[in-house]
Amino acid sequence: MEHKDIKHFLIMAGSTNHMLRGDKLLKDEGIETALVPAPSEYGSVCAIAIRVNVEDIQSAEKHLLDHNITIQGIYPDKPKKLSGLVEKLMDSVMSEDFIGVMKKVEDGQDLNFEDILVLLKTERKSELEALFAAADRMRKEIIGDVVDIRGAIEFSNICRKDCKYCGIRATLPALERYRMEEDEIMDIVHELHQIGLQTVILQSGEDLWWTPDKIVQLIRRIKDETGMRITLSIGERPKEEYALYKEVGADNFLLKIETTNREIFEFIHPDDDYDHRIECSKWLRELGYINGSGCIIGLPGQRPEDIAKDILFFKDMGINMIGIGPFLPAKGTPFEKYPAGSVDMTLKAVAVTRIVCKRVYIPATTALASLDPDGQTKALKSGANTIMLINTPAKYRYNYQIYSQKNMIDLEAAFRAVEEAGRKLPPYLKVTKEALSDAGNTQK
């Protein structure tokens, strides 16, 4: 069977376990792979596929079957064409450059650096509306209408790093520090499991009190007691630690690059090394994690050219989860007096990332909701497809503010954003909007 213009195939395994095992087997065999969200027509919400190059598909299939990996299906990863896109734009006032880029999007062509810059630099209302609509359509046709909802637990605000923008930086004197106990964390995990969430995000500062043994014990308890998927966001660790956490059950890892401009990175991270951060991301990819990264919009000295390079980095690195939020100043930090990032530029970056990276998870970030009350709704209409709830206990959560005036996104806020964006709640949720409202009225 001939597949003209097909560069990759998607392999759907029979289960998550088979998918993760299969991906590792192929990597060990020297076959280049990436774990990507499955298209809506190929799998349920949050289903993951193994992407392989077209020239490797026959050997990959044979290798998986030889090792008793169940294959649910193999599908061509077709270039996503948005037919009729440009025709709808012809009655609006738009630049030739913008229409030219939209034509490439319509034809399913990859965008280059200059194309991305055209989209990021546009200020014309008609072009912004067209950009957001194209990204939203790309999201709908590739991922579908269901918004994935995940729960985050910020279990420690103790950090060894001194990032200049961060509200939990090591030398911040006035911050009340905390570290949750394992049983406290598990109480929240069980609450998330009871309402049907499938993924818990364990986020902290770089707190080395949480040794590999302690983290492994926590991962195993979560897997044994709930079976939930686990995202770790605990910073830079040795490759051996990343491998250990993957082996015992961690599924995803979020380690943001924040900016691919080396000078800006070194300016905001006085005790971090840019090359090491890149190396950590490569390790995570090699180990088979669903690999998360992201950038901050509005960092000091940042230009649209820098954001364009960030987006191409996400594509080239095969990043699976991409968090894009505006810079927000934190009290007591060296950046306290710096202006916040732009909502419009953040939304443009979200939209362009969806168009360029296509089959990825893009959260409607808490930072965006903190800067604009309607920020999450706008992001969902601009290509985002994920919401992360803040489930840190109330007695701790206001001491985990990487930026000040943080909007504590709860399930009610997520329901509202999903409804306002005309999107669908995930079928795995076991609580309805009505039940949530009744519970709130009862508490009052």
Side-chain angles (χ1 to χ4, degrees):
M1 182 177 178
E2 186 176 347
H3 296 282
K4 189 178 179 182
D5 299 329
I6 300 297
K7 296 179 180 179
H8 303 96
F9 276 84
L10 302 176
I11 301 174
M12 294 291 294
S15 67
T16 299
N17 178 268
H18 278 224
M19 179 269 295
L20 293 172
R21 283 175 49 210
D23 180 66
K24 185 176 187 305
L25 284 167
L26 295 179
K27 281 182 166 65
D28 290 345
E29 188 69 8
I31 295 174
E32 183 179 343
T33 70
L35 295 174
V36 298
S40 55
E41 65 267 29
Y42 298 157
S44 60
V45 63
C46 291
I48 301 296
I50 304 170
R51 188 180 68 197
V52 299
N53 295 328
V54 64
E55 62 269 20
D56 295 327
I57 187 60
Q58 290 185 343
S59 57
E61 180 181 12
K62 182 179 185 303
H63 194 64
L64 293 178
L65 293 176
D66 286 346
H67 287 79
N68 299 315
I69 299 297
T70 301
I71 297 177
Q72 180 180 314
I74 298 177
Y75 309 95
D77 190 12
K78 301 175 183 176
K80 178 51 64 177
K81 299 183 179 182
L82 301 183
S83 59
L85 181 65
V86 172
E87 184 180 354
K88 294 180 180 179
L89 307 180
M90 300 314 293
D91 293 334
S92 301
V93 178
M94 296 183 184
S95 70
E96 290 185 9
D97 286 345
F98 184 86
I99 291 177
V101 176
M102 286 292 105
K103 178 62 176 172
K104 291 182 72 172
V105 174
E106 178 182 80
D107 292 341
Q109 298 180 45
D110 289 339
L111 301 190
N112 60 31
F113 176 77
E114 288 75 18
D115 298 329
I116 293 171
L117 265 186
V118 168
L119 301 183
L120 290 176
K121 287 185 174 182
T122 184
E123 301 289 345
R124 187 174 284 158
K125 182 180 178 181
S126 59
E127 293 181 358
L128 289 173
E129 290 175 349
L131 170 62
F132 298 148
D136 193 46
R137 182 175 165 192
M138 184 76 75
R139 181 273 314 156
K140 180 180 179 66
E141 295 193 14
I142 288 181
I143 303 295
D145 283 334
V146 174
V147 176
D148 185 29
I149 298 179
R150 305 176 180 188
I153 305 172
E154 300 150 332
F155 63 92
S156 171
N157 72 346
I158 297 169
C159 190
R160 61 176 171 163
K161 295 292 181 68
D162 212 25
C163 306
K164 292 180 181 178
Y165 64 86
C166 184
I168 63 168
R169 68 195 304 255
T171 60
L172 200 65
L175 182 65
E176 182 180 344
R177 301 287 177 171
Y178 73 87
R179 180 185 288 134
M180 290 177 64
E181 299 288 339
E182 181 183 302
D183 286 343
E184 285 184 287
I185 296 171
M186 287 307 303
D187 287 343
I188 306 300
V189 170
H190 282 291
E191 289 178 13
L192 299 178
H193 186 238
Q194 286 170 3
I195 65 174
L197 294 192
Q198 295 186 334
T199 302
V200 58
I201 302 163
L202 301 176
Q203 183 171 357
S204 72
E206 293 200 14
D207 181 359
L208 298 187
W209 180 89
W210 278 93
T211 61
D213 286 346
K214 291 171 182 173
I215 294 174
V216 164
Q217 182 170 313
L218 179 59
I219 291 171
R220 283 178 168 157
R221 279 195 66 182
I222 292 172
K223 286 295 183 180
D224 290 344
E225 296 177 25
T226 71
M228 293 180 73
R229 297 179 63 82
I230 298 170
T231 297
L232 294 178
S233 181
I234 56 175
E236 295 177 356
R237 300 275 179 144
K239 184 178 182 180
E240 294 75 19
E241 281 192 39
Y242 291 151
L244 176 62
Y245 304 147
K246 186 72 173 66
E247 182 182 347
V248 298
D251 303 282
N252 317 325
F253 203 104
L254 177 58
L255 181 67
K256 289 188 175 182
I257 187 66
E258 291 166 355
T259 175
T260 54
N261 181 310
R262 183 184 292 269
E263 291 183 359
I264 297 176
F265 184 96
E266 292 173 352
F267 176 60
I268 67 177
H269 296 287
D271 47 10
D272 270 325
D273 179 81
Y274 178 84
D275 293 318
H276 182 61
R277 180 66 60 89
I278 298 291
E279 188 175 37
C280 286
S281 288
K282 290 180 179 178
W283 290 340
L284 294 167
R285 180 180 63 184
E286 291 168 7
L287 291 167
Y289 279 95
I290 304 297
N291 197 358
S293 188
C295 60
I296 301 174
I297 304 299
L299 290 170
Q302 186 185 63
R303 304 172 302 155
E305 287 81 359
D306 300 314
I307 301 170
K309 290 175 182 176
D310 294 344
I311 294 170
L312 288 172
F313 167 81
F314 301 143
K315 178 187 176 186
D316 294 340
M317 280 288 291
I319 298 297
N320 309 102
M321 304 181 296
I322 304 170
I324 301 172
F327 165 76
L328 290 169
K331 293 180 181 178
T333 68
F335 288 0
E336 179 179 5
K337 303 298 184 183
Y338 281 64
S342 161
V343 171
D344 284 347
M345 181 57 84
T346 302
L347 292 172
K348 284 191 284 186
V350 167
V352 177
T353 299
R354 172 61 68 197
I355 289 170
V356 170
C357 299
K358 297 179 176 63
R359 192 169 289 112
V360 292
Y361 295 108
I362 302 179
T365 58
T366 306
L368 191 54
S370 300
L371 191 58
D372 182 341
D374 298 321
Q376 288 196 305
T377 300
K378 293 176 181 177
L380 290 176
K381 289 182 175 180
S382 304
N385 69 315
T386 306
I387 291 179
M388 299 182 182
L389 310 180
I390 304 298
N391 300 102
T392 308
K395 63 180 178 179
Y396 300 128
R397 66 177 60 168
Y398 289 98
N399 288 313
Y400 197 100
Q401 296 202 42
I402 293 174
Y403 45 86
S404 300
Q405 306 302 317
K406 183 177 178 181
N407 189 332
M408 299 300 173
I409 298 299
D410 57 14
L411 199 53
E412 186 175 355
F415 279 5
R416 182 171 60 252
V418 170
E419 183 177 17
E420 289 174 352
R423 305 284 292 284
K424 295 178 182 178
L425 292 168
Y428 50 74
L429 275 184
K430 297 177 182 177
V431 61
T432 64
K433 177 183 175 183
E434 292 73 23
L436 198 66
S437 178
D438 291 343
N441 292 332
T442 299
Q443 290 173 0
K444 293 176 184 177

